[in-house]
Amino acid sequence: IGNLILVDKVTNGRLADKGFSEKKKILHENGYRLPSAFAEVDNLTDEIIEENTMRVSKLSRSKVWSI
């Protein structure tokens, strides 16, 4: 979950087998905002993905699925 970004079908096709730097460029050109953890790096590491997974998890629990 930590490295997933929801995009439209056309953009997804353009991202398919590109490196992360090229993906960032395509996403920016198409108006997508990246999480700050992704915007500041040229390569995704396991650590960055794990940190973003935790961020999304906390956000989901507090905002989306709060009871």
Side-chain angles (χ1 to χ4, degrees), residues 10-48:
V10 173
T11 302
N12 191 51
R14 291 183 62 209
L15 298 172
D17 56 355
K18 305 282 191 288
F20 184 65
S21 292
E22 184 67 19
K23 288 180 179 185
K24 281 178 33 174
K25 181 180 174 185
I26 292 168
L27 290 166
H28 179 73
E29 290 171 351
N30 287 279
Y32 289 97
R33 289 182 38 199
L34 291 173
S36 59
F38 292 176
E40 300 170 0
V41 298
D42 290 324
N43 295 304
L44 285 182
T45 63
D46 290 345
E47 182 179 280
I48 293 169

Side-chain angles (χ1 to χ4, degrees), residues 43-61:
N43 295 304
L44 285 182
T45 63
D46 290 345
E47 182 179 280
I48 293 169
I49 293 169
E50 188 173 323
E51 287 174 10
N52 195 56
T53 298
M54 295 306 295
R55 182 189 68 81
V56 170
S57 174
K58 288 176 185 175
L59 180 66
S60 297
R61 286 191 309 256

